[in-house]
Amino acid sequence: MPKLYDPFQLLFYANSLAILTYFIGTLIYALPIPLYGLKRWAPRLVSDGIYASVLINSFLGIIFLSNEIAEALGASWADFFSWASSVVNIQFSIFSSIRYVYALVSASGTPGLDFILAPLSFFSSMLTGTITSIETIIVLAQIIDSNYALLLALGVALFSIPFRIGRSIGAGLMASSTVFYIGLPYLPKFIAGILGSALPSFSQLLQNNPLDFVNLMAQSVLPAIINVTVFLPAAYIFILAGLSAGLATALSGGSSRLPFPIDIF
């Protein structure tokens, strides 16, 4: 039995839908019924069938071009996952340091240091949030890296459904999967271009004085971690989402027009 998660099986379905769309259009042309509301679908369906066929036959070319663009940008998935792993290791190292200082202060029983326990708990909570943020990005990257061909083929199949039922969703899926497949591995370079380094670096993280540790966390460590794992990735993903929306509009041809003209009859 054919597997639905096979991209080429999805392309087979897409091709069948494209042929169906084309012939529905020609059938409407041939109907001896002078209904404008029905007849206006004829050229749309014929052109949609042709356009879907072009996308289906361009499938391997789109994947090849996506890889070439990503290579030209100097980004790779291997470098991205290596960077993400390094960031997570740094986060857990800092988290361990916070818990160590917290336990040290709690065990010391020094009344004058009790006031720093609340900031340490706050730092721990914030760091947990940044770990969740970068882990979410890693999961998204793994899905795109492992399933780009499948997502692209699914987008083409949805795009090929007659009467433009899945046109917007299909165009959006094709655009977003392609843009993120090319652009997401570039995230470490984007961060390095703004901050000068893709990874935060800290010296003397464990201070002998708990007060110095709290000041270091508040003034440099947490702001750097938040920039690298939350603010800059969010801004970059927003940029990629905007590019995806623009490409999706171009692929779908807006509400009624294709990105290139197809003359019929």
Side-chain angles (χ1 to χ4, degrees):
M1 178 179 294
K3 298 180 179 179
L4 293 177
Y5 54 80
D6 182 359
F8 292 101
Q9 188 65 38
L10 286 174
L11 290 179
F12 171 78
Y13 297 144
N15 187 60
S16 300
L17 289 170
I19 294 172
L20 177 63
T21 300
Y22 179 87
F23 281 108
I24 290 176
T26 59
L27 176 63
I28 294 175
Y29 261 120
L31 287 176
I33 303 176
L35 295 177
Y36 173 74
L38 178 63
K39 286 290 189 177
R40 67 178 181 177
W41 272 106
R44 291 183 184 179
L45 289 169
V46 173
S47 62
D48 287 352
I50 296 173
Y51 184 29
S53 296
V54 171
L55 290 175
I56 293 166
N57 288 283
S58 302
F59 177 77
L60 293 178
I62 293 173
I63 294 178
F64 174 79
L65 184 60
S66 298
N67 286 317
E68 288 297 310
I69 294 174
E71 184 177 351
L73 291 174
S76 69
W77 284 109
D79 292 340
F80 172 85
F81 287 117
S82 176
W83 166 81
S85 177
S86 298
V87 170
V88 171
N89 289 336
I90 291 173
Q91 288 174 306
F92 277 108
S93 176
I94 296 171
F95 185 83
S96 298
S97 299
I98 293 174
R99 302 311 299 170
Y100 172 79
V101 174
Y102 187 95
L104 191 65
V105 173
S106 299
S108 68
T110 305
L113 292 179
D114 288 345
F115 73 95
I116 71 171
L117 294 179
L120 289 173
S121 296
F122 176 71
F123 296 157
S124 179
S125 298
M126 288 194 66
L127 195 59
T128 301
T130 65
I131 293 173
T132 302
S133 175
I134 194 66
E135 290 288 353
T136 301
I137 294 174
I138 292 173
V139 171
L140 175 64
Q142 289 174 336
I143 292 173
I144 295 173
D145 180 34
S146 302
N147 300 284
Y148 170 53
L150 178 64
L151 294 172
L152 183 62
L154 180 59
V156 174
L158 291 171
F159 191 93
S160 304
I161 298 175
F163 296 100
R164 305 185 175 184
I165 296 173
R167 186 186 186 93
S168 298
I169 299 175
L173 188 56
M174 286 187 290
S176 58
S177 60
T178 299
V179 169
F180 276 82
Y181 181 76
I182 295 172
L184 193 55
Y186 192 77
L187 176 59
K189 292 183 179 294
F190 173 80
I191 294 174
I194 295 177
L195 299 180
S197 174
L199 293 172
S201 59
F202 311 109
S203 58
Q204 299 178 346
L205 185 59
L206 279 176
Q207 301 287 329
N208 293 328
N209 189 333
L211 289 176
D212 292 338
F213 178 82
V214 171
N215 289 332
L216 178 65
M217 290 295 301
Q219 295 175 7
S220 62
V221 175
L222 278 180
I225 288 293
I226 291 173
N227 277 333
V228 169
T229 61
V230 180
F231 290 154
L232 291 179
Y236 187 69
I237 289 176
F238 180 78
I239 294 172
L240 294 182
L243 293 174
S244 299
L247 181 57
T249 301
L251 286 173
S252 64
S255 59
S256 61
R257 292 179 298 175
L258 298 177
F260 54 85
I262 298 178
D263 295 326
I264 304 168
F265 302 118

Coordinates of all heavy atoms in Angstrom, one line a residue, residues 52-103:
A52 N -0.6 24.3 -11.7 CA -0.3 23.2 -10.7 C 0.7 22.2 -11.4 O 1.6 21.7 -10.7 CB -1.6 22.6 -10.3
S53 N 0.5 21.9 -12.6 CA 1.4 21.0 -13.3 C 2.8 21.6 -13.4 O 3.8 20.8 -13.3 CB 0.9 20.7 -14.7 OG -0.4 20.1 -14.7
V54 N 2.9 22.9 -13.6 CA 4.2 23.5 -13.6 C 4.9 23.3 -12.3 O 6.1 23.0 -12.2 CB 4.1 25.0 -14.0 CG1 5.4 25.7 -13.8 CG2 3.6 25.2 -15.4
L55 N 4.1 23.6 -11.2 CA 4.7 23.4 -9.8 C 5.1 22.0 -9.6 O 6.2 21.7 -9.0 CB 3.7 23.9 -8.8 CG 3.4 25.4 -8.7 CD1 2.3 25.7 -7.7 CD2 4.7 26.1 -8.3
I56 N 4.3 21.0 -10.0 CA 4.6 19.6 -9.8 C 5.9 19.2 -10.5 O 6.8 18.6 -9.9 CB 3.4 18.7 -10.3 CG1 2.2 19.0 -9.4 CG2 3.8 17.3 -10.3 CD1 0.9 18.4 -10.0
N57 N 6.0 19.7 -11.7 CA 7.3 19.3 -12.5 C 8.5 20.1 -12.1 O 9.6 19.8 -12.4 CB 7.0 19.6 -14.0 CG 6.1 18.5 -14.6 OD1 6.5 17.4 -14.9 ND2 4.8 18.9 -14.8
S58 N 8.3 21.2 -11.3 CA 9.4 22.0 -10.8 C 9.8 21.5 -9.4 O 10.7 22.2 -8.8 CB 9.0 23.5 -10.7 OG 8.6 23.9 -12.0
F59 N 9.2 20.5 -8.8 CA 9.4 20.1 -7.4 C 10.9 19.9 -7.1 O 11.4 20.4 -6.2 CB 8.6 18.8 -7.2 CG 8.8 18.2 -5.8 CD1 8.2 18.8 -4.7 CD2 9.6 17.1 -5.6 CE1 8.3 18.3 -3.4 CE2 9.8 16.6 -4.3 CZ 9.2 17.2 -3.2
L60 N 11.5 19.0 -7.9 CA 13.0 18.7 -7.6 C 13.8 20.0 -7.9 O 14.8 20.2 -7.2 CB 13.4 17.6 -8.5 CG 12.8 16.2 -8.2 CD1 13.3 15.1 -9.2 CD2 13.2 15.8 -6.8
G61 N 13.4 20.8 -8.9 CA 14.2 22.0 -9.1 C 14.1 23.0 -8.0 O 15.1 23.7 -7.6
I62 N 12.9 23.1 -7.3 CA 12.7 23.9 -6.2 C 13.6 23.5 -5.0 O 14.3 24.3 -4.4 CB 11.3 24.0 -5.7 CG1 10.4 24.6 -6.8 CG2 11.1 24.7 -4.4 CD1 8.9 24.5 -6.5
I63 N 13.7 22.2 -4.8 CA 14.5 21.7 -3.7 C 16.0 21.9 -4.0 O 16.8 22.4 -3.1 CB 14.3 20.1 -3.5 CG1 12.9 19.9 -3.0 CG2 15.3 19.5 -2.5 CD1 12.5 18.4 -2.8
F64 N 16.4 21.7 -5.3 CA 17.8 21.9 -5.6 C 18.1 23.4 -5.5 O 19.2 23.8 -4.9 CB 18.0 21.5 -7.1 CG 19.4 21.9 -7.6 CD1 20.5 21.1 -7.3 CD2 19.5 23.0 -8.5 CE1 21.7 21.4 -7.8 CE2 20.8 23.3 -9.0 CZ 21.9 22.5 -8.6
L65 N 17.3 24.3 -5.9 CA 17.5 25.7 -5.8 C 17.6 26.2 -4.4 O 18.4 27.0 -4.0 CB 16.4 26.5 -6.6 CG 16.6 28.0 -6.7 CD1 17.9 28.4 -7.4 CD2 15.4 28.6 -7.4
S66 N 16.7 25.6 -3.5 CA 16.7 25.9 -2.1 C 18.1 25.6 -1.5 O 18.6 26.4 -0.7 CB 15.6 25.2 -1.4 OG 14.3 25.6 -1.9
N67 N 18.6 24.4 -1.8 CA 19.9 24.0 -1.3 C 21.0 24.9 -1.8 O 21.9 25.2 -1.0 CB 20.1 22.5 -1.6 CG 19.3 21.6 -0.8 OD1 19.2 21.7 0.4 ND2 18.7 20.6 -1.5
E68 N 20.9 25.3 -3.0 CA 21.9 26.1 -3.6 C 21.9 27.5 -3.0 O 23.0 28.1 -2.7 CB 21.7 26.3 -5.1 CG 22.0 25.0 -5.9 CD 23.5 24.6 -5.8 OE1 24.4 25.5 -6.0 OE2 23.8 23.5 -5.5
I69 N 20.8 28.1 -2.7 CA 20.7 29.4 -2.1 C 21.2 29.3 -0.6 O 21.9 30.2 -0.2 CB 19.2 29.9 -2.1 CG1 18.8 30.2 -3.5 CG2 19.1 31.2 -1.2 CD1 17.3 30.5 -3.6
A70 N 20.8 28.2 0.1 CA 21.3 28.1 1.5 C 22.8 27.9 1.5 O 23.5 28.5 2.4 CB 20.7 26.8 2.1
E71 N 23.4 27.2 0.5 CA 24.8 27.1 0.5 C 25.5 28.4 0.1 O 26.6 28.7 0.7 CB 25.2 26.0 -0.6 CG 26.7 25.7 -0.7 CD 27.0 24.6 -1.6 OE1 26.0 23.9 -2.1 OE2 28.2 24.4 -1.9
A72 N 24.9 29.2 -0.7 CA 25.4 30.5 -1.1 C 25.4 31.4 0.1 O 26.3 32.3 0.2 CB 24.6 31.1 -2.3
L73 N 24.5 31.3 1.0 CA 24.4 32.1 2.2 C 25.5 31.7 3.2 O 25.7 32.4 4.2 CB 23.0 32.0 2.8 CG 21.9 32.7 2.0 CD1 20.5 32.4 2.7 CD2 22.1 34.2 1.9
G74 N 26.0 30.5 3.0 CA 27.0 30.0 4.0 C 26.5 29.4 5.2 O 27.2 29.3 6.2
A75 N 25.2 29.0 5.2 CA 24.6 28.4 6.4 C 24.3 27.0 6.1 O 24.0 26.6 5.0 CB 23.3 29.2 6.7
S76 N 24.4 26.2 7.2 CA 24.1 24.8 7.0 C 23.3 24.3 8.3 O 23.4 24.9 9.4 CB 25.3 23.9 6.9 OG 26.1 23.9 8.1
W77 N 22.6 23.2 8.1 CA 21.8 22.7 9.3 C 22.8 22.1 10.3 O 22.5 22.2 11.5 CB 20.9 21.6 8.8 CG 19.6 22.2 8.1 CD1 19.3 22.1 6.8 CD2 18.6 22.9 8.7 NE1 18.1 22.7 6.6 CE2 17.6 23.2 7.7 CE3 18.3 23.3 10.1 CZ2 16.5 23.9 8.0 CZ3 17.1 24.0 10.3 CH2 16.2 24.3 9.3
A78 N 23.9 21.6 9.9 CA 24.9 21.0 10.8 C 25.4 22.1 11.7 O 25.5 22.0 13.0 CB 26.0 20.3 10.1
D79 N 25.7 23.3 11.1 CA 26.2 24.4 11.9 C 25.1 24.9 12.8 O 25.4 25.3 14.0 CB 26.7 25.5 11.0 CG 27.9 25.2 10.2 OD1 28.7 24.2 10.7 OD2 28.2 25.8 9.2
F80 N 23.9 25.0 12.4 CA 22.8 25.5 13.2 C 22.6 24.6 14.4 O 22.5 25.1 15.5 CB 21.5 25.5 12.3 CG 20.3 25.8 13.2 CD1 19.9 27.1 13.4 CD2 19.5 24.8 13.7 CE1 18.8 27.4 14.2 CE2 18.4 25.1 14.5 CZ 18.0 26.4 14.7
F81 N 22.5 23.3 14.2 CA 22.3 22.4 15.4 C 23.5 22.4 16.3 O 23.3 22.2 17.5 CB 22.0 21.0 14.9 CG 20.6 20.9 14.3 CD1 20.4 20.5 12.9 CD2 19.5 21.1 15.0 CE1 19.2 20.4 12.4 CE2 18.2 21.0 14.4 CZ 18.1 20.7 13.1
S82 N 24.7 22.6 15.8 CA 25.9 22.7 16.7 C 25.8 23.9 17.5 O 26.0 23.9 18.7 CB 27.1 22.7 15.8 OG 28.3 22.9 16.6
W83 N 25.4 25.0 16.9 CA 25.2 26.3 17.7 C 24.1 26.1 18.7 O 24.2 26.5 19.9 CB 24.8 27.4 16.7 CG 24.2 28.6 17.4 CD1 25.0 29.6 18.0 CD2 22.9 29.0 17.5 NE1 24.1 30.6 18.5 CE2 22.8 30.2 18.2 CE3 21.7 28.4 17.1 CZ2 21.6 30.8 18.5 CZ3 20.5 29.0 17.4 CH2 20.4 30.2 18.1
A84 N 22.9 25.5 18.3 CA 21.8 25.4 19.3 C 22.2 24.5 20.4 O 21.9 24.8 21.6 CB 20.6 24.8 18.5
S85 N 23.0 23.4 20.2 CA 23.5 22.6 21.2 C 24.4 23.3 22.2 O 24.3 23.2 23.4 CB 24.2 21.4 20.6 OG 24.7 20.5 21.6
S86 N 25.3 24.2 21.6 CA 26.2 25.0 22.5 C 25.4 25.9 23.4 O 25.7 26.1 24.5 CB 27.2 25.7 21.6 OG 28.0 24.8 20.8
V87 N 24.4 26.6 22.8 CA 23.6 27.5 23.6 C 22.9 26.8 24.7 O 22.8 27.3 25.8 CB 22.5 28.2 22.7 CG1 21.5 29.0 23.5 CG2 23.2 29.1 21.7
V88 N 22.3 25.6 24.4 CA 21.6 24.9 25.5 C 22.6 24.5 26.6 O 22.3 24.6 27.8 CB 20.9 23.6 24.9 CG1 20.4 22.7 26.0 CG2 19.8 24.1 24.0
N89 N 23.8 24.1 26.2 CA 24.8 23.7 27.2 C 25.2 24.9 28.1 O 25.3 24.7 29.3 CB 26.0 23.2 26.5 CG 25.8 21.8 25.9 OD1 24.9 21.0 26.3 ND2 26.6 21.5 24.9
I90 N 25.3 26.1 27.5 CA 25.6 27.3 28.3 C 24.4 27.6 29.2 O 24.6 27.9 30.4 CB 25.8 28.5 27.3 CG1 27.2 28.3 26.6 CG2 25.9 29.8 28.1 CD1 27.4 29.3 25.5
Q91 N 23.2 27.5 28.7 CA 22.0 27.7 29.6 C 22.0 26.8 30.8 O 21.8 27.3 31.9 CB 20.8 27.6 28.8 CG 20.5 28.7 27.8 CD 19.3 28.4 26.9 OE1 19.2 27.4 26.3 NE2 18.4 29.4 26.8
F92 N 22.2 25.5 30.6 CA 22.2 24.6 31.7 C 23.4 24.8 32.6 O 23.2 24.6 33.9 CB 22.2 23.1 31.2 CG 20.9 22.6 30.8 CD1 20.5 22.5 29.4 CD2 19.9 22.4 31.7 CE1 19.3 22.0 29.1 CE2 18.6 21.9 31.4 CZ 18.3 21.7 30.1
S93 N 24.5 25.3 32.1 CA 25.6 25.6 33.0 C 25.3 26.8 33.9 O 25.6 26.8 35.1 CB 26.9 25.9 32.1 OG 27.9 26.3 32.9
I94 N 24.7 27.8 33.3 CA 24.3 28.9 34.1 C 23.2 28.6 35.1 O 23.2 29.0 36.3 CB 23.8 30.1 33.2 CG1 24.9 30.6 32.3 CG2 23.2 31.2 34.0 CD1 24.5 31.5 31.2
F95 N 22.2 27.7 34.7 CA 21.2 27.3 35.6 C 21.8 26.5 36.8 O 21.3 26.7 37.9 CB 20.2 26.4 34.8 CG 19.0 25.9 35.6 CD1 17.9 26.8 35.7 CD2 19.0 24.7 36.2 CE1 16.8 26.4 36.4 CE2 17.9 24.3 37.0 CZ 16.8 25.1 37.1
S96 N 22.7 25.7 36.5 CA 23.4 24.9 37.6 C 24.1 25.9 38.5 O 24.1 25.7 39.8 CB 24.4 23.9 37.0 OG 23.8 23.0 36.2
S97 N 24.7 26.9 38.0 CA 25.4 27.9 38.8 C 24.4 28.7 39.7 O 24.7 28.9 40.9 CB 26.2 28.9 38.0 OG 27.2 28.3 37.2
I98 N 23.3 29.0 39.2 CA 22.2 29.7 40.0 C 21.8 28.8 41.1 O 21.6 29.2 42.3 CB 21.1 30.1 39.1 CG1 21.5 31.2 38.1 CG2 19.9 30.6 39.9 CD1 20.4 31.5 37.0
R99 N 21.5 27.5 40.8 CA 21.0 26.6 41.8 C 22.1 26.4 42.9 O 21.8 26.2 44.1 CB 20.6 25.3 41.2 CG 19.5 25.4 40.1 CD 18.3 26.2 40.6 NE 17.6 25.6 41.8 CZ 16.7 26.3 42.5 NH1 16.3 27.5 42.1 NH2 16.2 25.7 43.5
Y100 N 23.3 26.4 42.5 CA 24.4 26.2 43.4 C 24.5 27.3 44.4 O 24.6 27.2 45.6 CB 25.7 26.0 42.7 CG 27.0 26.0 43.6 CD1 27.3 24.8 44.3 CD2 27.8 27.1 43.7 CE1 28.4 24.8 45.1 CE2 28.9 27.1 44.6 CZ 29.2 26.0 45.3 OH 30.3 26.0 46.1
V101 N 24.5 28.6 43.9 CA 24.6 29.8 44.7 C 23.3 29.8 45.6 O 23.4 30.2 46.8 CB 24.7 31.0 43.9 CG1 24.6 32.3 44.7 CG2 26.0 31.0 43.1
Y102 N 22.2 29.5 45.1 CA 20.9 29.5 45.9 C 21.1 28.5 47.0 O 20.7 28.9 48.2 CB 19.7 29.1 45.0 CG 18.4 29.2 45.7 CD1 17.6 30.4 45.5 CD2 17.9 28.2 46.5 CE1 16.4 30.5 46.2 CE2 16.7 28.3 47.1 CZ 15.9 29.5 46.9 OH 14.7 29.6 47.6
A103 N 21.6 27.3 46.8 CA 21.7 26.3 47.8 C 22.8 26.8 48.8 O 22.6 26.6 50.1 CB 22.1 25.0 47.2

